[in-house]
Amino acid sequence: MNRKDLLAAAILLSIAGAYGWATLQIPSSTLDDGVGPRGFPLVLTAALAVVAIAIAVRALATARVGPRADDDAKETEARWPRALGVLAFGALYIPAAAILGYSLALFLLLVAVPLYEGARFSWRVPAVAAGGAATFYVLFVVVLGVRQPEGLLF
């Protein structure tokens, strides 16, 4: 059992509960559409709760394995540069979305981040990226009726 992950899951679950309670305090309006002002926050509440439960299940299911000393030292040294690299991808995503369009820029971001993190390029990387971009398109355009920003090219 990994106690740190279990504690993190408990904290995330309590945050999800507080966020869900705050969401239910949002007053209804006569101008509400089909989703209403509570719709998306409730989806976020459910997603956070699912992530917290998944972390808790993983923490309970896995045996505690201590890292080797050399792996731990490498991880500590690489933490900040890796985080800054991912932040740079996020910063580059904004102008890329303005030029290429939301869907294509999101696809490229979802391809670039796993490759940056050391994943091998295979057919799975662009397939998962295409699935992620399509999921966001369906969620926002089809389900929520929110148009995606258009870029200069697409």
Side-chain angles (χ1 to χ4, degrees), residues 28-34 36-37:
S28 296
S29 170
T30 57
L31 301 175
D32 287 349
D33 57 359

Side-chain angles (χ1 to χ4, degrees), residues 69-82:
D70 56 340
D71 288 346
D72 193 32
K74 288 180 184 176
E75 183 66 28
T76 303
E77 291 174 8
R79 199 171 285 158
W80 280 105
R82 284 176 53 194

Side-chain angles (χ1 to χ4, degrees), residues 19-137:
Y19 189 75
W21 179 81
T23 297
L24 295 176
Q25 305 307 312
I26 297 173
S28 296
S29 170
T30 57
L31 301 175
D32 287 349
D33 57 359
V35 176
R38 295 179 185 172
F40 191 64
L42 284 175
V43 169
L44 291 177
T45 299
L48 186 57
V50 166
V51 168
I53 291 168
I55 291 172
V57 167
R58 186 186 70 180
L60 292 171
T62 59
R64 180 76 172 136
V65 177
R68 294 191 322 232
D70 56 340
D71 288 346
D72 193 32
K74 288 180 184 176
E75 183 66 28
T76 303
E77 291 174 8
R79 199 171 285 158
W80 280 105
R82 284 176 53 194
L84 291 174
V86 172
L87 182 64
F89 279 123
L92 290 173
Y93 166 76
I94 296 169
I99 296 168
L100 301 173
Y102 177 78
S103 295
L104 183 56
L106 181 60
F107 170 79
L108 292 174
L109 177 71
L110 293 176
V111 167
V113 169
L115 295 177
Y116 175 75
E117 287 294 324
R120 283 187 176 182
F121 186 80
S122 70
W123 65 269
R124 290 183 182 115
V125 174
V128 169
T135 299
F136 276 101
Y137 179 84

